[in-house]
Amino acid sequence: MKFQKTLITKKRDSIQLSHIVIKGTNEEIGYKFGCLANDFHKIDKSANIDASKVESQYNYLKKRYPEHYARMSGFAKAYGKTLSDHNYDFSFFGDVPNGVACSAVYYPPATTSSKCGYISRNLDFSIPKNLKLEKPVFPFKHTYVIEMYPESSYSSISLFCFEVFGLALEGINSEGLAVIHLADADTRIDHENLATKQTKKGFNEFLPIQYLLDTCSTANEAVRALKQMEHYHVAIPVHLLIADKHGDSFVFEYSPDGSRKVFVQGSVTSPLKVTNFQLNRLSDPNMKKMMESRSDENGYDRYQVLEKLIDKIQFPMTEKLIQETNAAVYVLENNGEILDRTLFHCIYDTSSCSVKICLLPKIKETMKGFSKFFLKKDHRIG
């Protein structure tokens, strides 16, 4: 196993962004993540859980996602445990954040001056004004760019928080497939009681992200994979923006109980915009009226800003203009003890399998404020 860690790539205020490069078997990778979580974060995995649900989930993931199951085994080993002990849940690690927002646009190659496909996304979250307090927990205090080269699956660059393991927020793989999550606020508002708050059999709201990066090379492959999954959400329902280097894209959405899956197809000749409402509701006049009534909660207001800006632009777009368009919907709102704001602006290039990340971006931030990460084609570290 090879491993490199840059403890601080970039730090602003009390958010630390670290860069980890790791290569090895999936079990070795899981073990290293477990060591980091145990040694650095001192996280206790012995929370009260339903052992029967853990066992059911383990059996499901062993069959449906063996790459992750192998990482789970290594992760458990770092804690002195094995997956035969179902009193500990190593299927995911840390607390799933509740309330995250986001805005993202996919620009297919036909719309850009470089003829490359880009996803430009803002990740928005609430920052407690006093991060020294134990409560409320701020899951982005330690955030990781994970550059991973497994022996038996595609290499990828993923953005992780909440104690490193298992739940990538977004990323891109060596085949040029990018996967981005965005909160589905309308479903959360309408069906808040369906959050499980714990593990159950299937793929929770974030686990599909790394799964698709590990196993899929195209948008069409991702569609087939998502159709075969059982879906649920621990804390907050999400929808996924997925695009490949060929210009194919779609948004994946599912019903609150996970039984109905919807694929909103993107165009190869125009940008695909996503915020925090289900895009499939736009075709229903009654649903659209309801979304408009809660536009400040579900991101419909940000969607309209993006739509008006993009409609005025004469294509093709430069990367600088792509960055500036997303900057128009940066969030910066002071709500007493909580500051709602854009934490990260990420720009994924599906042609070069790379990502540029700006931590706590400013409205007038230039492209020089971004740090670039790219996958090495020869899979060597250093």
Side-chain angles (χ1 to χ4, degrees), residues 218-299:
T218 66
N220 286 335
E221 288 182 10
V223 168
R224 292 194 292 270
L226 288 165
K227 286 181 177 179
Q228 296 173 1
M229 294 180 188
E230 294 183 40
H231 297 272
Y232 73 98
H233 61 274
V234 176
I236 183 169
V238 305
H239 49 184
L240 302 178
L241 170 60
I242 298 169
D244 64 27
K245 65 181 179 182
H246 307 291
D248 294 324
S249 65
F250 67 92
V251 173
F252 169 69
E253 301 174 332
Y254 57 89
S255 61
D257 62 358
S259 62
R260 186 174 66 90
K261 303 174 184 181
V262 181
F263 297 85
V264 180
Q265 194 68 37
S267 168
V268 296
T269 58
S270 60
L272 178 58
K273 307 171 292 293
V274 198
T275 56
N276 302 119
F277 62 90
Q278 286 204 347
L279 288 184
N280 71 80
R281 295 185 177 191
L282 284 175
S283 59
D284 185 327
N286 293 327
M287 283 287 189
K288 186 175 181 181
K289 186 176 181 179
M290 180 191 68
M291 290 190 303
E292 290 173 343
S293 69
R294 55 171 72 146
S295 64
D296 60 336
E297 297 178 84
N298 64 8

Coordinates of all heavy atoms in Angstrom, one line a residue, residues 218-299:
T218 N -19.5 5.3 -17.8 CA -20.3 6.2 -18.6 C -21.6 6.5 -17.9 O -22.0 5.8 -17.0 CB -20.7 5.5 -20.0 OG1 -21.5 4.4 -19.8 CG2 -19.4 5.2 -20.8
A219 N -22.3 7.5 -18.4 CA -23.6 7.8 -17.8 C -24.6 6.7 -18.0 O -25.4 6.4 -17.1 CB -24.2 9.1 -18.5
N220 N -24.6 6.0 -19.2 CA -25.5 4.9 -19.4 C -25.2 3.7 -18.4 O -26.2 3.1 -17.9 CB -25.3 4.3 -20.8 CG -25.9 5.3 -21.9 OD1 -26.9 6.0 -21.5 ND2 -25.5 5.2 -23.1
E221 N -24.0 3.4 -18.1 CA -23.7 2.4 -17.1 C -24.2 2.8 -15.7 O -24.7 2.0 -15.0 CB -22.2 2.2 -17.0 CG -21.6 1.4 -18.2 CD -20.1 1.1 -18.1 OE1 -19.6 1.3 -17.0 OE2 -19.5 0.7 -19.1
A222 N -24.1 4.1 -15.4 CA -24.6 4.6 -14.1 C -26.1 4.5 -14.0 O -26.7 4.2 -13.0 CB -24.2 6.1 -14.0
V223 N -26.8 4.7 -15.1 CA -28.3 4.5 -15.1 C -28.6 3.1 -14.8 O -29.5 2.8 -13.9 CB -28.9 4.9 -16.5 CG1 -30.4 4.4 -16.6 CG2 -28.8 6.4 -16.7
R224 N -28.0 2.1 -15.4 CA -28.3 0.7 -15.2 C -28.0 0.4 -13.7 O -28.7 -0.4 -13.1 CB -27.4 -0.2 -16.1 CG -27.9 0.0 -17.6 CD -27.3 -1.2 -18.4 NE -25.9 -1.1 -18.6 CZ -25.3 -0.4 -19.5 NH1 -26.0 0.2 -20.5 NH2 -23.9 -0.4 -19.6
A225 N -26.9 0.9 -13.2 CA -26.5 0.6 -11.8 C -27.5 1.1 -10.8 O -27.9 0.5 -9.9 CB -25.1 1.2 -11.5
L226 N -28.0 2.4 -11.0 CA -28.9 3.0 -10.1 C -30.3 2.3 -10.1 O -31.0 2.2 -9.1 CB -29.1 4.5 -10.5 CG -27.9 5.4 -10.1 CD1 -28.0 6.7 -10.8 CD2 -27.8 5.6 -8.6
K227 N -30.7 1.7 -11.3 CA -31.9 1.0 -11.4 C -31.9 -0.2 -10.5 O -33.0 -0.7 -10.1 CB -32.2 0.7 -12.9 CG -32.7 1.8 -13.7 CD -32.9 1.4 -15.1 CE -33.5 2.6 -16.0 NZ -33.7 2.2 -17.4
Q228 N -30.8 -0.8 -10.3 CA -30.7 -2.1 -9.6 C -30.5 -1.9 -8.1 O -30.6 -2.9 -7.3 CB -29.5 -2.9 -10.1 CG -29.7 -3.3 -11.6 CD -28.4 -3.9 -12.1 OE1 -27.4 -4.1 -11.4 NE2 -28.5 -4.3 -13.4
M229 N -30.4 -0.7 -7.6 CA -30.1 -0.4 -6.2 C -31.5 -0.3 -5.4 O -32.5 0.1 -5.9 CB -29.4 0.9 -6.0 CG -28.0 0.9 -6.5 SD -27.3 2.6 -6.2 CE -25.7 2.4 -7.1
E230 N -31.4 -0.7 -4.1 CA -32.4 -0.3 -3.1 C -32.0 1.0 -2.4 O -30.9 1.1 -2.0 CB -32.6 -1.4 -2.1 CG -33.1 -2.7 -2.7 CD -33.3 -3.8 -1.6 OE1 -33.8 -3.4 -0.5 OE2 -33.0 -5.0 -1.8
H231 N -32.9 2.0 -2.4 CA -32.5 3.3 -1.9 C -33.3 3.6 -0.6 O -34.4 3.3 -0.5 CB -32.8 4.4 -3.0 CG -32.0 4.2 -4.2 ND1 -30.8 4.8 -4.4 CD2 -32.3 3.5 -5.4 CE1 -30.3 4.5 -5.6 NE2 -31.2 3.7 -6.2
Y232 N -32.6 4.4 0.3 CA -33.2 5.0 1.4 C -32.4 6.1 1.8 O -31.3 6.4 1.3 CB -33.3 3.9 2.6 CG -32.0 3.6 3.3 CD1 -31.6 4.2 4.5 CD2 -31.1 2.7 2.7 CE1 -30.4 3.9 5.1 CE2 -29.9 2.4 3.3 CZ -29.6 3.0 4.5 OH -28.4 2.7 5.1
H233 N -32.9 7.0 2.8 CA -32.0 8.0 3.3 C -32.0 8.0 4.8 O -33.0 7.8 5.5 CB -32.4 9.4 2.7 CG -33.8 9.9 3.1 ND1 -34.9 9.5 2.4 CD2 -34.2 10.7 4.1 CE1 -36.0 10.1 3.0 NE2 -35.6 10.8 4.0
V234 N -30.7 8.2 5.3 CA -30.5 8.3 6.8 C -31.0 9.6 7.3 O -31.7 9.6 8.4 CB -29.0 8.1 7.1 CG1 -28.8 8.2 8.6 CG2 -28.5 6.7 6.6
A235 N -30.7 10.7 6.7 CA -31.0 12.0 7.2 C -31.7 12.9 6.2 O -32.7 13.5 6.5 CB -29.7 12.7 7.7
I236 N -31.2 13.0 5.0 CA -31.8 13.9 4.0 C -31.8 13.3 2.6 O -30.8 12.8 2.2 CB -31.0 15.2 4.0 CG1 -31.6 16.2 3.1 CG2 -29.5 15.0 3.7 CD1 -31.1 17.6 3.2
P237 N -33.0 13.3 1.9 CA -33.0 12.8 0.6 C -32.1 13.7 -0.3 O -32.1 14.9 -0.1 CB -34.5 12.8 0.2 CG -35.0 13.9 1.1 CD -34.3 13.8 2.4
V238 N -31.5 13.1 -1.3 CA -30.7 13.8 -2.3 C -31.1 13.4 -3.7 O -31.8 12.4 -3.9 CB -29.2 13.6 -2.1 CG1 -28.8 13.9 -0.7 CG2 -28.8 12.2 -2.5
H239 N -30.7 14.2 -4.7 CA -30.7 13.7 -6.1 C -29.3 13.9 -6.6 O -28.5 14.7 -6.1 CB -31.8 14.4 -6.9 CG -31.8 15.9 -6.8 ND1 -32.8 16.6 -7.5 CD2 -31.1 16.8 -6.2 CE1 -32.6 17.9 -7.2 NE2 -31.6 18.1 -6.4
L240 N -29.0 13.2 -7.7 CA -27.6 13.1 -8.2 C -27.5 13.7 -9.6 O -28.3 13.4 -10.5 CB -27.1 11.7 -8.2 CG -27.1 10.9 -6.9 CD1 -26.6 9.5 -7.1 CD2 -26.3 11.6 -5.8
L241 N -26.5 14.5 -9.8 CA -26.2 15.0 -11.2 C -25.0 14.2 -11.6 O -24.0 14.1 -11.0 CB -25.8 16.5 -11.1 CG -25.2 17.1 -12.4 CD1 -26.2 17.0 -13.6 CD2 -24.8 18.6 -12.2
I242 N -25.2 13.5 -12.8 CA -24.1 12.6 -13.3 C -23.9 12.9 -14.8 O -24.8 13.1 -15.6 CB -24.6 11.1 -13.2 CG1 -24.8 10.8 -11.7 CG2 -23.6 10.2 -13.8 CD1 -25.6 9.5 -11.4
A243 N -22.6 13.0 -15.1 CA -22.2 13.3 -16.5 C -20.9 12.6 -16.8 O -20.1 12.3 -15.9 CB -21.9 14.8 -16.6
D244 N -20.7 12.3 -18.1 CA -19.5 11.6 -18.5 C -18.7 12.5 -19.6 O -19.2 13.5 -20.0 CB -19.8 10.2 -19.0 CG -20.6 10.2 -20.3 OD1 -20.6 11.2 -21.1 OD2 -21.3 9.2 -20.5
K245 N -17.5 12.0 -20.0 CA -16.7 12.8 -20.8 C -17.2 12.9 -22.3 O -16.7 13.7 -23.1 CB -15.3 12.2 -20.9 CG -15.2 10.8 -21.4 CD -13.7 10.3 -21.4 CE -13.6 8.9 -21.9 NZ -12.2 8.4 -21.8
H246 N -18.2 12.0 -22.6 CA -18.8 12.0 -23.9 C -19.9 13.1 -24.1 O -20.4 13.3 -25.2 CB -19.3 10.6 -24.3 CG -18.4 9.5 -24.1 ND1 -17.2 9.4 -24.9 CD2 -18.3 8.5 -23.1 CE1 -16.5 8.3 -24.4 NE2 -17.2 7.8 -23.4
G247 N -20.3 13.7 -23.0 CA -21.3 14.7 -23.1 C -22.7 14.3 -22.6 O -23.7 15.0 -22.6
D248 N -22.8 13.0 -22.2 CA -24.1 12.5 -21.7 C -24.3 12.8 -20.3 O -23.3 12.8 -19.5 CB -24.2 11.0 -21.9 CG -24.2 10.5 -23.4 OD1 -24.8 11.2 -24.2 OD2 -23.6 9.5 -23.7
S249 N -25.5 13.2 -19.9 CA -25.7 13.6 -18.5 C -27.2 13.3 -18.1 O -28.1 13.2 -19.0 CB -25.5 15.1 -18.3 OG -26.4 15.8 -19.1
F250 N -27.4 13.2 -16.8 CA -28.8 13.1 -16.3 C -28.8 13.4 -14.8 O -27.8 13.5 -14.2 CB -29.3 11.6 -16.5 CG -28.6 10.6 -15.7 CD1 -29.1 10.2 -14.5 CD2 -27.5 9.9 -16.2 CE1 -28.5 9.2 -13.8 CE2 -26.8 8.9 -15.5 CZ -27.3 8.6 -14.3
V251 N -30.0 13.6 -14.3 CA -30.2 13.8 -12.9 C -31.1 12.6 -12.4 O -32.1 12.3 -13.0 CB -31.0 15.1 -12.6 CG1 -31.3 15.2 -11.1 CG2 -30.1 16.3 -13.0
F252 N -30.6 12.0 -11.4 CA -31.3 10.8 -10.8 C -32.1 11.3 -9.6 O -31.5 11.9 -8.7 CB -30.3 9.7 -10.4 CG -30.9 8.6 -9.6 CD1 -31.9 7.8 -10.1 CD2 -30.6 8.5 -8.2 CE1 -32.4 6.8 -9.3 CE2 -31.2 7.5 -7.4 CZ -32.1 6.6 -8.0
E253 N -33.4 11.0 -9.6 CA -34.2 11.3 -8.4 C -35.1 10.1 -8.1 O -35.4 9.3 -8.9 CB -35.2 12.5 -8.8 CG -34.4 13.7 -9.2 CD -35.2 14.9 -9.7 OE1 -36.3 14.6 -10.3 OE2 -34.7 16.0 -9.6
Y254 N -35.4 10.0 -6.8 CA -36.2 8.8 -6.3 C -37.3 9.3 -5.4 O -37.2 10.4 -4.8 CB -35.4 7.8 -5.7 CG -34.6 8.2 -4.5 CD1 -35.1 8.2 -3.2 CD2 -33.3 8.6 -4.6 CE1 -34.3 8.6 -2.1 CE2 -32.5 9.0 -3.5 CZ -33.1 9.0 -2.3 OH -32.3 9.4 -1.2
S255 N -38.4 8.5 -5.3 CA -39.5 8.9 -4.5 C -39.1 8.7 -3.0 O -38.2 8.1 -2.7 CB -40.7 8.0 -4.8 OG -40.4 6.7 -4.6
P256 N -39.9 9.3 -2.1 CA -39.5 9.3 -0.7 C -39.3 7.9 -0.1 O -38.5 7.7 0.7 CB -40.7 10.0 0.0 CG -41.3 10.9 -1.1 CD -41.1 10.2 -2.4
D257 N -40.1 6.9 -0.6 CA -40.0 5.6 -0.1 C -39.0 4.7 -0.9 O -38.7 3.6 -0.6 CB -41.3 4.9 0.0 CG -41.9 4.7 -1.4 OD1 -41.3 5.1 -2.4 OD2 -43.0 4.1 -1.5
G258 N -38.3 5.4 -1.9 CA -37.3 4.7 -2.6 C -37.8 3.8 -3.7 O -37.1 3.1 -4.4
S259 N -39.2 3.7 -3.9 CA -39.7 2.7 -4.8 C -39.8 3.2 -6.2 O -39.8 2.4 -7.1 CB -41.2 2.3 -4.3 OG -42.0 3.5 -4.4
R260 N -39.9 4.5 -6.5 CA -40.0 5.0 -7.8 C -38.7 5.8 -8.1 O -38.3 6.7 -7.4 CB -41.2 5.9 -7.9 CG -41.5 6.4 -9.4 CD -42.8 7.2 -9.4 NE -42.7 8.4 -8.7 CZ -42.3 9.6 -9.2 NH1 -41.9 9.7 -10.4 NH2 -42.3 10.7 -8.4
K261 N -38.1 5.5 -9.3 CA -36.9 6.2 -9.7 C -37.1 6.9 -11.0 O -37.8 6.5 -11.9 CB -35.8 5.1 -9.9 CG -35.5 4.3 -8.7 CD -34.5 3.2 -9.0 CE -34.4 2.3 -7.7 NZ -33.4 1.2 -7.9
V262 N -36.6 8.2 -11.0 CA -36.8 9.0 -12.2 C -35.4 9.5 -12.7 O -34.6 9.9 -11.9 CB -37.7 10.3 -11.8 CG1 -37.9 11.2 -13.0 CG2 -39.0 9.9 -11.2
F263 N -35.3 9.5 -14.0 CA -34.0 9.9 -14.7 C -34.4 11.0 -15.6 O -35.1 10.9 -16.6 CB -33.4 8.7 -15.4 CG -33.0 7.6 -14.6 CD1 -33.9 6.6 -14.2 CD2 -31.7 7.5 -14.1 CE1 -33.6 5.5 -13.4 CE2 -31.4 6.4 -13.3 CZ -32.3 5.4 -12.9
V264 N -33.9 12.2 -15.2 CA -34.1 13.4 -16.1 C -32.9 13.6 -17.0 O -31.8 13.9 -16.5 CB -34.3 14.7 -15.2 CG1 -34.6 15.9 -16.0 CG2 -35.5 14.5 -14.2
Q265 N -33.2 13.4 -18.3 CA -32.1 13.3 -19.2 C -31.6 14.7 -19.6 O -32.4 15.7 -19.8 CB -32.5 12.6 -20.5 CG -31.4 12.2 -21.4 CD -30.5 11.1 -20.8 OE1 -31.0 10.2 -20.2 NE2 -29.2 11.2 -21.1
G266 N -30.3 14.9 -19.6 CA -29.7 16.2 -20.1 C -29.5 16.2 -21.6 O -29.7 15.2 -22.2
S267 N -29.2 17.4 -22.1 CA -29.0 17.5 -23.5 C -27.5 17.7 -23.8 O -26.7 18.2 -23.0 CB -29.7 18.8 -24.0 OG -29.3 19.1 -25.3
V268 N -27.0 17.2 -25.0 CA -25.6 17.3 -25.3 C -25.3 18.7 -25.9 O -24.2 19.0 -26.1 CB -25.2 16.3 -26.3 CG1 -25.3 14.9 -25.7 CG2 -26.0 16.4 -27.6
T269 N -26.4 19.6 -26.0 CA -26.2 20.9 -26.7 C -26.5 22.0 -25.7 O -26.4 23.2 -26.1 CB -27.0 21.0 -28.0 OG1 -28.4 20.8 -27.7 CG2 -26.5 20.0 -29.0
S270 N -27.0 21.8 -24.5 CA -27.3 22.8 -23.6 C -27.0 22.5 -22.2 O -27.1 21.3 -21.8 CB -28.8 23.2 -23.7 OG -29.6 22.1 -23.5
P271 N -26.8 23.4 -21.3 CA -26.4 23.1 -19.9 C -27.6 22.5 -19.1 O -28.8 22.8 -19.4 CB -26.1 24.5 -19.3 CG -25.7 25.3 -20.5 CD -26.6 24.9 -21.6
L272 N -27.3 21.7 -18.1 CA -28.2 21.1 -17.2 C -28.1 21.7 -15.9 O -27.0 21.6 -15.2 CB -28.0 19.6 -17.2 CG -28.9 18.7 -16.3 CD1 -30.4 18.9 -16.6 CD2 -28.5 17.2 -16.3
K273 N -29.1 22.4 -15.4 CA -29.1 23.1 -14.1 C -29.8 22.3 -13.0 O -30.9 21.7 -13.3 CB -29.7 24.5 -14.3 CG -29.2 25.3 -15.4 CD -30.0 26.5 -15.7 CE -31.4 26.2 -16.2 NZ -31.3 25.6 -17.6
V274 N -29.3 22.3 -11.8 CA -29.9 21.6 -10.7 C -29.7 22.4 -9.4 O -28.6 22.9 -9.2 CB -29.2 20.2 -10.5 CG1 -30.2 19.3 -9.6 CG2 -28.9 19.5 -11.8
T275 N -30.7 22.5 -8.6 CA -30.5 23.0 -7.2 C -31.1 22.0 -6.2 O -30.7 20.9 -6.2 CB -31.1 24.4 -7.1 OG1 -32.5 24.4 -7.5 CG2 -30.3 25.4 -7.9
N276 N -32.2 22.4 -5.5 CA -32.7 21.5 -4.4 C -34.1 21.2 -4.5 O -34.7 20.8 -3.5 CB -32.4 22.2 -3.1 CG -30.9 22.5 -2.9 OD1 -30.5 23.7 -2.7 ND2 -30.1 21.5 -2.9
F277 N -34.7 21.2 -5.7 CA -36.0 20.7 -5.9 C -35.9 19.6 -6.9 O -35.0 19.5 -7.7 CB -37.0 21.8 -6.3 CG -36.7 22.4 -7.6 CD1 -37.2 21.9 -8.8 CD2 -35.8 23.5 -7.7 CE1 -36.8 22.4 -10.0 CE2 -35.5 24.1 -8.9 CZ -36.0 23.6 -10.1
Q278 N -36.9 18.7 -7.0 CA -36.9 17.6 -8.0 C -37.2 18.2 -9.3 O -38.3 18.7 -9.6 CB -37.9 16.5 -7.6 CG -37.4 15.7 -6.4 CD -38.0 14.3 -6.4 OE1 -39.0 14.0 -7.1 NE2 -37.5 13.4 -5.6
L279 N -36.3 18.0 -10.3 CA -36.5 18.5 -11.6 C -37.7 17.9 -12.3 O -38.4 18.6 -13.1 CB -35.3 18.3 -12.5 CG -34.0 19.1 -12.2 CD1 -32.9 18.7 -13.2 CD2 -34.3 20.6 -12.2
N280 N -38.1 16.7 -12.0 CA -39.2 16.0 -12.7 C -40.5 16.7 -12.3 O -41.5 16.5 -13.0 CB -39.3 14.5 -12.3 CG -39.7 14.2 -10.9 OD1 -40.9 14.3 -10.6 ND2 -38.7 14.0 -10.1
R281 N -40.5 17.5 -11.2 CA -41.8 18.3 -10.9 C -42.0 19.5 -11.8 O -43.2 20.0 -11.7 CB -41.7 18.7 -9.4 CG -41.6 17.6 -8.4 CD -41.6 18.1 -7.0 NE -41.7 17.0 -6.0 CZ -41.9 17.2 -4.7 NH1 -42.1 18.4 -4.2 NH2 -41.9 16.2 -3.9
L282 N -41.1 19.9 -12.5 CA -41.3 21.1 -13.4 C -42.3 20.8 -14.4 O -43.0 21.8 -14.9 CB -39.9 21.4 -14.1 CG -38.9 22.1 -13.2 CD1 -37.6 22.3 -14.0 CD2 -39.4 23.5 -12.7
S283 N -42.6 19.6 -14.8 CA -43.5 19.3 -15.9 C -45.0 19.3 -15.3 O -45.9 19.2 -16.1 CB -43.2 18.0 -16.5 OG -43.2 16.9 -15.5
D284 N -45.2 19.3 -14.0 CA -46.5 19.3 -13.4 C -46.8 20.7 -12.9 O -46.2 21.2 -12.0 CB -46.5 18.3 -12.2 CG -47.9 18.2 -11.6 OD1 -48.7 19.2 -11.6 OD2 -48.2 17.1 -11.1
P285 N -47.8 21.4 -13.5 CA -48.1 22.8 -13.2 C -48.4 23.0 -11.7 O -48.0 24.0 -11.1 CB -49.3 23.1 -14.0 CG -49.2 22.2 -15.2 CD -48.7 21.0 -14.6
N286 N -49.1 22.1 -11.1 CA -49.5 22.2 -9.7 C -48.2 22.0 -8.8 O -48.1 22.8 -7.8 CB -50.5 21.1 -9.3 CG -51.8 21.3 -9.9 OD1 -52.3 22.5 -10.1 ND2 -52.5 20.2 -10.3
M287 N -47.4 21.1 -9.1 CA -46.1 20.9 -8.4 C -45.2 22.1 -8.6 O -44.6 22.6 -7.6 CB -45.4 19.7 -8.9 CG -45.9 18.4 -8.4 SD -45.6 18.1 -6.7 CE -46.1 16.4 -6.5
K288 N -45.2 22.7 -9.8 CA -44.3 23.8 -10.0 C -44.8 25.0 -9.2 O -44.0 25.8 -8.6 CB -44.4 24.2 -11.5 CG -43.4 25.3 -11.9 CD -43.4 25.6 -13.4 CE -42.4 26.7 -13.7 NZ -42.4 26.9 -15.2
K289 N -46.1 25.2 -9.1 CA -46.6 26.3 -8.3 C -46.3 26.1 -6.8 O -45.9 27.1 -6.1 CB -48.2 26.3 -8.4 CG -48.8 27.5 -7.7 CD -50.3 27.6 -8.0 CE -51.0 28.8 -7.3 NZ -52.4 28.8 -7.6
M290 N -46.3 24.9 -6.3 CA -45.9 24.6 -4.9 C -44.4 24.9 -4.7 O -44.0 25.5 -3.7 CB -46.2 23.2 -4.6 CG -45.8 22.8 -3.1 SD -45.9 21.0 -2.9 CE -44.5 20.5 -3.9
M291 N -43.6 24.5 -5.7 CA -42.2 24.8 -5.6 C -41.9 26.2 -5.5 O -41.0 26.7 -4.8 CB -41.4 24.1 -6.7 CG -41.4 22.6 -6.7 SD -40.3 21.9 -7.9 CE -40.9 22.5 -9.4
E292 N -42.6 27.0 -6.4 CA -42.4 28.5 -6.4 C -42.7 29.1 -5.0 O -42.1 30.1 -4.6 CB -43.2 29.1 -7.5 CG -42.7 28.7 -8.9 CD -43.6 29.2 -10.0 OE1 -44.8 29.5 -9.7 OE2 -43.2 29.2 -11.2
S293 N -43.7 28.5 -4.3 CA -44.1 29.1 -3.1 C -43.1 28.9 -2.0 O -43.1 29.6 -0.9 CB -45.4 28.5 -2.6 OG -45.2 27.1 -2.3
R294 N -42.2 28.0 -2.1 CA -41.1 27.7 -1.1 C -39.7 27.9 -1.8 O -38.8 27.2 -1.4 CB -41.3 26.3 -0.5 CG -41.3 25.2 -1.6 CD -41.3 23.8 -0.9 NE -42.4 23.4 -0.3 CZ -42.9 22.1 -0.2 NH1 -42.3 21.2 -0.8 NH2 -44.0 21.8 0.5
S295 N -39.6 28.8 -2.7 CA -38.4 28.9 -3.5 C -37.1 29.2 -2.7 O -36.0 28.8 -3.1 CB -38.6 30.0 -4.6 OG -38.7 31.3 -4.0
D296 N -37.3 29.9 -1.6 CA -36.1 30.2 -0.8 C -35.6 29.0 0.0 O -34.5 29.0 0.6 CB -36.3 31.4 0.1 CG -37.5 31.2 1.1 OD1 -38.4 30.3 0.8 OD2 -37.5 31.8 2.1
E297 N -36.5 28.0 0.2 CA -36.2 26.8 0.9 C -35.6 25.7 0.0 O -34.8 24.8 0.4 CB -37.4 26.2 1.7 CG -38.0 27.1 2.7 CD -39.2 26.6 3.3 OE1 -39.1 25.7 4.3 OE2 -40.3 26.9 2.9
N298 N -36.1 25.6 -1.2 CA -35.7 24.5 -2.1 C -34.8 24.9 -3.2 O -34.5 24.1 -4.1 CB -37.0 23.8 -2.7 CG -37.8 24.7 -3.6 OD1 -37.4 25.9 -3.9 ND2 -39.0 24.3 -4.0
G299 N -34.3 26.1 -3.2 CA -33.3 26.5 -4.2 C -33.9 26.9 -5.6 O -33.2 27.1 -6.5

